[in-house]
Amino acid sequence: STLMQDVLYPALARAFGKATETPGAHERLLGADWLSDAVFVDQSPIGKTARSNPASYVGAFDAMRALFADAAMAKERGYGAGMFSFNAGDGRCATCGGSGFEHVEMQFLSDVYLRCPDCDGRRFRAEILDVKIVRGDRQLSVADTLDLTVSEAVRLFAEDREVLFRLQPIVDVGLDYVRLGQPVPTLSGGEAQRLKLAGFLAQAAERPGQRVASKGTLYLFDEPTTGLHFDDIAKLMRALRKLLDAGHSVITIEHNLDVIRAADWVIDLGPEGGEAGGELVFAGTPEEIKLHPSSHTGKALTDYEVALGIALRAEEGRPLQAVVRAARAQSEEVIRIVNAREHNLKSMDVDIPRGKFSV
């Protein structure tokens, strides 16, 4: 984290003329001329305004508004695409300004958000909601559309190529369960990070099948797999590969062994954490790091592959059977709590077997 957040990214940002904090101490930065830009993608909120949502973030809502403007009733009444915007124009609710709620500032407590009494949280004037489009087995107003989850929208708008094209990056990063109109400040840190990735995928997808002309962007991610299910991690990895296929580069701070195994290059810092770390232990491919005698990452990869049943080469002169026996012996270890005295615990020693279901 220190290397990427405090040294590498600020140094690259300065090289590209961006406003940034002073980079950490380093002698030189080489290779920045291979890149067109550098982007640090962390879990910070995307924005504080409740008007931003996943559909507008990837540009899908613009395509949807064009569909509503093309409806027969909209043409009859002279409604353009701007009438179906809740950010500007005459189509939004005049009482709440298109936000769907009223913001009440409290003197000493947290601010309160009350559903708009005029539009009932639907953001638009009643006559705008009269305009409906038929998709699948449903008649949808623009407010109904914003209430759809991404997966529902992909199913209903399967024939609308532009909408599908814009929503696909959200599906690719595993956020197909969020609602199109969900305010982005309500997303968790991990969801915000993946929505940012979807935004970058949407930009890359604007050149389908075409790699960047000359210089790609370097994307730096801070532990993007935190809190994700294995299936979501697989989706995330496929999304990162799409960035690579478009000619960009990716660096992640990561401890997940599946991600490390899938990497092209591993930079192992350590050997321990905190004051006992800060040195380059090894830099190379995942296959090479497994043969390193003192790398904790290499040992973890080896043990993980043994647990998965992946055949290993003999290492450090030991036959394969010895490696398997050592891994099995380690798997029989326990998680041990010694002399616990917190609250009402009275000097307890507890052994919890690893790899078991304990109650």
Side-chain angles (χ1 to χ4, degrees), residues 100-307:
F101 52 81
E102 293 183 299
H103 178 197
V104 181
E105 293 188 12
M106 306 294 283
Q107 190 78 29
F108 301 107
L109 304 173
S110 298
D111 292 354
V112 174
Y113 294 90
L114 302 175
R115 179 175 292 183
C116 175
D118 285 353
C119 69
D120 195 31
R122 293 173 68 78
R123 301 185 176 203
F124 296 92
R125 288 170 23 206
E127 55 267 34
I128 300 299
L129 299 179
D130 289 340
V131 179
K132 302 241 174 97
I133 59 175
V134 177
R135 289 296 180 274
D137 55 350
R138 297 181 61 177
Q139 276 196 335
L140 300 169
S141 68
V142 63
D144 294 331
T145 304
L146 289 173
D147 279 339
L148 296 174
T149 64
V150 174
S151 59
E152 289 172 339
V154 167
R155 178 175 57 83
L156 293 173
F157 289 87
E159 303 298 320
D160 301 291
R161 293 182 59 186
E162 184 65 20
V163 175
L164 204 60
F165 175 71
R166 296 290 178 180
L167 291 179
Q168 191 58 46
I170 303 181
V171 177
D172 290 343
V173 298
L175 289 179
D176 49 343
Y177 58 87
V178 301
R179 299 198 176 275
L180 296 181
Q182 182 171 339
V184 293
T186 66
L187 298 174
S188 71
E191 288 170 336
Q193 187 177 34
R194 283 187 285 159
L195 186 58
K196 293 176 191 176
L197 173 57
F200 298 131
L201 287 175
Q203 294 173 14
E206 290 175 1
R207 298 177 291 271
Q210 173 190 347
R211 288 175 65 85
V212 288
S214 54
K215 301 176 181 179
T217 299
L218 175 63
Y219 294 100
L220 302 98
F221 289 88
D222 183 8
E223 297 199 51
T225 64
T226 301
L228 294 190
H229 184 272
F230 297 119
D231 188 49
D232 289 325
I233 292 175
K235 291 177 182 176
L236 177 72
M237 293 301 297
R238 286 195 289 270
L240 294 179
R241 287 287 173 198
K242 287 189 176 183
L243 283 181
L244 297 177
D245 292 341
H248 304 295
S249 305
V250 175
I251 304 178
T252 69
I253 303 168
E254 195 51 79
H255 299 91
N256 181 278
L257 292 174
D258 289 311
V259 176
I260 296 173
R261 286 181 64 233
D264 300 309
W265 195 255
V266 179
I267 300 165
D268 190 20
L269 303 182
E272 304 295 337
E275 292 296 326
E279 298 179 17
L280 177 64
V281 177
F282 181 80
T285 66
E287 288 300 318
E288 292 169 342
I289 199 172
K290 286 188 289 187
L291 303 177
H292 193 277
S294 61
S295 168
H296 294 314
T297 302
K299 184 176 185 305
L301 284 174
T302 300
D303 294 344
Y304 185 55
E305 293 192 349
V306 169

